[in-house]
Amino acid sequence: MEFDEIYMRKFLNKIKLRNLFSKLKFQELFPETRSRILICYLLLTTGFVAMTVPIFYRMVILQVDSRIFQDLDEEVVVFEQFLAMETQAESLIELKLLLNKYLRYKIPADKTFLIAIVDNKFYRSSPLSVPAFLGRESEFIREIKNIAEFTSGSRVLADTLIHYEAQPLIYQDKSLGVFVIVTIPDEERQEVLDAVNLVIKILLIAWLIALLVIYKIVGIILAPIETLINTTQEITEKQLNRRMVVTGKGELAKLARTFNLMMHRLEIAFKNQNQLLNDVSHELRTPITIVQGHLELLDYSSSEAEKQETINLVLNELDRMGVLVEELLLLAKVEQENFLKLETVNLRQYMKEIYQKVRVLGDRNWQLVNYNTSTLTIDRQRITQSVINLSQNAVQHTQPGDTITIIAKIRNEKLYLGVKDTGIGIPQSEQHQIFERFFQASNSRSQNKRGAGLGLSIVKAIVEKHQGSVQLYSKLGQGSTFYLILPIIPCGDYYESNFNS
């Protein structure tokens, strides 16, 4: 048993190696996919033709032979009808007279012979001249003259195929002779085979033309792959905006969409990476310079008050750098597929939770306006973070006693989640820049605080990830209202929805 298992393993390994060798050799001989498809088509059609042509030839020959035997049957029927119309032959003399009368005027088809045998002897034929293998002393005549019932069949005589039918001539249970019809089918067979060969030649020419057409069609079908290769070769780190044109449906169209989706993600990833590097290098330079400058000025002769002031300033700058890095990392993560953790929330309960969280941000007149009991699918944590960011922004731009209202309303299957304040407002000329990174309004009260100007950028990124948008309504001296507009329907992947649409 152990020997058999070892032998079987060796045998299977040999098969695997041979298959691998054959595969590699095939790929080396035909490296292009188009050539492989064409060769496979060629092999399959050749094998199919090699199997079907002999069968087709055989079926044609059988059809010819069947028609020949039908003709022989008709000849026998005609002869029997002739005998029925004449006086019944009661003797050999009368039979010979009838046969003479019939064979004298009956001219058979080419290579067909009517032979009369009377009294076990070759009597007469039509035509008078017959091949030697059908002659008076031939073996065929000696065998056929003694039959007692109708006989038909095929034989090869002197390397020549014949079809024959033999009808015994019987009177009062006594055999007077035999009427034989013989045909040589070689010419009929050859005519049919010539026609078949001509058809096969025409089909072969058509097959070669089809082969060229298929080669062209396969090239057209595989053109998107060639386009994909060329597009991929043209892509560099600084040129990630190349896309494939998607036409139709099917696997190749799906491949093109998948490639475009991949390039979109790569482009966003590189853009975020460059944005992060630029932001870090730009925004961290100032606090690092401040920290470094104060530490260089700090020496052992400084008073305790100066040392403590420097330490507090350094800690404050480090704290600000930590907040900045966290916000930058959050913006960098927004484009990741798994950034959102979606769940279904009850709007009434959710708004109560938000209200309880934001009302401790400052001594303001907090109000909640919500009359909806709908449910929607959102990332609870990220939307809460966005509302808190807007609420902190409202607190920074209002005074104690001012009113800040948290609003939730539904219009046109969209949730308008707003934060409205009665603060100083934002200048009209700066409202279009308010969501840009590191931008702070000229009248902002938080310019000297920890804020880096990323809060509203984070809010906008989170809302757009939900396939929503942010709207701002503001007037100087009257306050500002920020609306997070979110779809009520469950949202899917941000990139997929944009590409499919």
Side-chain angles (χ1 to χ4, degrees):
M1 180 65 71
E2 183 177 356
F3 174 78
D4 292 341
E5 291 180 357
I6 295 174
Y7 178 79
M8 182 59 69
R9 289 175 184 173
K10 290 182 179 179
F11 177 72
L12 292 175
N13 289 333
K14 287 182 180 179
I15 293 177
K16 291 179 180 178
L17 291 175
R18 288 177 183 173
N19 291 338
L20 179 61
F21 175 76
S22 300
K23 184 178 180 181
L24 292 175
K25 190 174 181 180
F26 180 76
Q27 292 178 352
E28 290 176 0
L29 291 176
F30 308 103
E32 292 187 357
T33 303
R34 184 196 292 192
S35 300
R36 295 180 193 173
I37 294 175
L38 200 64
I39 292 299
C40 290
Y41 170 78
L42 181 63
L43 293 176
L44 287 174
T45 52
T46 303
F48 176 76
V49 170
M51 290 187 297
T52 55
V53 166
I55 298 175
F56 182 64
Y57 270 113
R58 181 60 180 167
M59 292 178 65
V60 169
I61 294 298
L62 292 176
Q63 190 70 23
V64 171
D65 291 345
S66 176
R67 184 177 57 81
I68 290 175
F69 276 105
Q70 288 179 1
D71 293 341
L72 296 180
D73 291 339
E74 291 177 0
E75 287 288 349
V76 172
V77 171
V78 171
F79 178 71
E80 290 177 345
Q81 290 175 349
F82 170 77
L83 293 179
M85 294 173 61
E86 298 293 333
T87 305
Q88 181 68 40
E90 300 179 357
S91 64
L92 294 176
I93 295 175
E94 293 177 350
L95 178 62
K96 289 179 180 180
L97 291 174
L98 288 175
L99 291 174
N100 285 334
K101 182 179 180 181
Y102 182 78
L103 296 177
R104 182 181 296 117
Y105 300 104
K106 181 65 176 179
I107 301 176
D110 189 29
K111 288 201 173 185
T112 299
F113 306 93
L114 307 179
I115 300 174
I117 299 174
V118 179
D119 195 20
N120 292 331
K121 295 178 182 178
F122 187 100
Y123 175 67
R124 185 172 179 169
S125 66
S126 178
L128 296 176
S129 177
V130 296
F133 53 79
L134 298 177
R136 297 177 180 275
E137 303 299 329
S138 65
E139 181 181 355
F140 175 72
I141 296 298
R142 287 197 300 269
E143 292 180 2
I144 208 72
K145 67 183 181 180
N146 296 318
I147 65 169
E149 59 184 10
F150 177 80
T151 303
S152 66
S154 302
R155 287 189 182 184
V156 177
L157 303 176
D159 297 329
T160 302
L161 176 68
I162 68 167
H163 298 321
Y164 68 93
E165 288 188 358
Q167 177 67 41
L169 304 175
I170 300 174
Y171 177 71
Q172 294 181 351
D173 297 331
K174 180 181 178 181
S175 177
L176 301 180
V178 179
F179 181 75
V180 184
I181 306 173
V182 179
T183 186
I184 300 175
D186 55 351
E187 290 187 0
E188 292 190 48
R189 282 190 171 191
Q190 191 59 46
E191 289 178 1
V192 174
L193 291 179
D194 289 342
V196 172
N197 289 334
L198 179 61
V199 172
I200 291 177
K201 290 177 181 178
I202 295 174
L203 291 177
L204 180 61
I205 296 174
W207 176 73
L208 292 175
I209 296 174
L211 199 63
L212 297 176
V213 173
I214 288 174
Y215 184 80
K216 184 67 175 178
I217 292 175
V218 170
I220 296 174
I221 294 175
L222 296 179
I225 297 180
E226 188 69 24
T227 304
L228 175 63
I229 295 173
N230 296 333
T231 304
T232 306
Q233 292 174 347
E234 295 174 1
I235 292 173
T236 62
E237 183 179 350
K238 296 181 180 179
Q239 189 180 7
L240 297 173
N241 59 345
R242 294 301 305 273
R243 298 292 185 272
M244 291 185 63
V245 178
V246 181
T247 56
K249 300 179 180 179
E251 293 80 1
L252 293 178
K254 187 176 181 181
L255 174 63
R257 292 189 185 94
T258 304
F259 174 80
N260 290 342
L261 177 59
M262 177 192 69
M263 291 307 304
H264 179 73
R265 291 171 177 169
L266 285 176
E267 183 179 10
I268 291 177
F270 273 90
K271 186 183 296 183
N272 289 339
Q273 179 182 354
N274 293 333
Q275 182 71 48
L276 179 61
L277 292 176
N278 293 334
D279 292 343
V280 170
S281 61
H282 178 268
E283 294 301 323
L284 291 183
R285 185 181 294 113
T286 300
I288 290 176
T289 301
I290 294 174
V291 171
Q292 182 179 0
H294 282 81
L295 290 178
E296 289 176 352
L297 295 175
L298 183 64
D299 54 28
Y300 293 101
S301 60
S302 301
S303 63
E304 291 297 327
E306 292 176 342
K307 292 180 179 179
Q308 187 61 44
E309 182 181 357
T310 301
I311 292 173
N312 291 338
L313 188 145
V314 169
L315 291 175
N316 184 61
E317 290 298 322
L318 291 176
D319 190 19
R320 191 162 72 91
M321 281 192 290
V323 173
L324 176 61
V325 170
E326 289 180 2
E327 292 180 344
L328 289 174
L329 289 176
L330 178 60
L331 284 174
K333 292 179 180 178
V334 167
E335 300 300 337
Q336 296 179 1
E337 290 187 20
N338 57 352
F339 176 74
L340 295 181
K341 306 297 181 184
L342 300 177
E343 59 179 295
T344 302
V345 298
N346 180 274
L347 188 57
R348 179 181 293 275
Q349 183 63 33
Y350 178 63
M351 295 307 299
K352 289 181 179 179
E353 294 176 3
I354 289 182
Y355 179 73
Q356 295 299 325
K357 292 179 180 179
V358 299
R359 63 194 300 248
V360 299
L361 296 177
D363 183 16
R364 302 293 187 270
N365 179 22
W366 294 92
Q367 295 183 4
L368 173 62
V369 177
N370 175 41
Y371 302 103
N372 298 285
T373 60
S374 303
T375 60
L376 71 158
T377 303
I378 58 173
D379 185 325
R380 177 191 293 265
Q381 179 182 351
R382 299 300 184 189
I383 295 299
T384 301
Q385 179 184 6
S386 300
V387 176
I388 291 177
N389 280 354
L390 293 177
S391 299
Q392 286 178 333
N393 195 58
V395 170
Q396 292 173 358
H397 293 80
T398 55
Q399 299 291 339
D402 286 344
T403 299
I404 300 178
T405 305
I406 308 299
I407 305 170
K409 57 184 179 180
I410 294 179
R411 290 181 180 175
N412 300 325
E413 296 185 351
K414 293 182 179 180
L415 170 64
Y416 286 74
L417 189 57
V419 177
K420 181 180 180 180
D421 65 63
T422 56
I424 59 177
I426 301 172
Q428 182 70 30
S429 60
E430 298 178 358
Q431 290 183 15
H432 68 284
Q433 299 175 282
I434 199 67
F435 295 103
E436 295 180 4
R437 295 188 181 192
F438 306 111
F439 180 81
Q440 294 187 2
S442 58
N443 61 345
S444 175
R445 297 172 181 172
S446 60
Q447 290 183 350
N448 296 325
K449 297 183 180 181
R450 290 176 53 188
L454 291 174
L456 293 179
S457 299
I458 293 174
V459 170
K460 182 181 178 183
I462 291 175
V463 174
E464 289 181 347
K465 188 67 176 180
H466 282 78
Q467 303 174 34
S469 60
V470 183
Q471 287 185 356
L472 166 64
Y473 303 93
S474 181
K475 288 186 179 181
L476 283 176
Q478 297 183 15
S480 303
T481 302
F482 289 87
Y483 278 114
L484 312 182
I485 305 175
L486 303 171
I488 297 296
I489 59 175
C491 56
D493 182 82
Y494 175 73
Y495 305 113
E496 293 287 353
S497 63
N498 277 276
F499 269 96
N500 291 336
S501 62

